[in-house]
Amino acid sequence: MRLSITPQPLASLQALTARLTLEGIQAEEALLELEGVDMYMGLNQTRLDAIPSSRHWQGETELAVCTTGSMRWRARVTFLADGQIYTSHFEFDAQ
């Protein structure tokens, strides 16, 4: 599983494209949730859509504004494959 979020550097209130790549797994659906690690920033869920004839999933999102400047975020990816739910976390910093 690989997750990329662009454009870099990540910034609040900027349109972001999240792209999930799954190797060796045929997922039926995928979801991305973004949350502040040290501060509640509201609910931010994005359904990722499968890109036909590929192993990629993609969705659009943005980060909420944080008044402290730089902030630590957690991206939680959840997907369903063969009746099983899989989840993984990624952490990153953004302005």
Side-chain angles (χ1 to χ4, degrees), residues 78-93:
T78 304
F79 64 90
L80 175 66
D82 296 325
Q84 296 281 348
I85 296 174
Y86 299 88
T87 302
S88 189
H89 300 153
F90 303 86
E91 290 193 6
F92 60 92
D93 294 315

Side-chain angles (χ1 to χ4, degrees), residues 17-21 48-59:
T17 299
R19 187 168 188 154
L20 175 66
T21 303
L48 301 177
D49 296 316
I51 299 173
S53 301
S54 78
R55 60 184 194 269
H56 304 290
W57 295 72
Q58 188 167 300

Side-chain angles (χ1 to χ4, degrees), residues 33-37 39 41-42 44 71-76:
E33 297 175 81
L34 299 174
E35 59 187 21
V37 171
M39 180 184 307
M41 298 300 290
N44 185 335
M71 183 167 162
R72 188 86 176 149
W73 289 87
R74 178 176 299 119
R76 177 183 298 121

Side-chain angles (χ1 to χ4, degrees), residues 14-46:
Q14 177 181 24
L16 301 172
T17 299
R19 187 168 188 154
L20 175 66
T21 303
L22 298 173
E23 299 277 347
I25 299 170
Q26 294 287 28
E28 299 159 34
E29 57 185 79
L31 178 71
L32 171 68
E33 297 175 81
L34 299 174
E35 59 187 21
V37 171
D38 298 318
M39 180 184 307
Y40 178 72
M41 298 300 290
L43 185 62
N44 185 335
Q45 296 180 332
T46 301

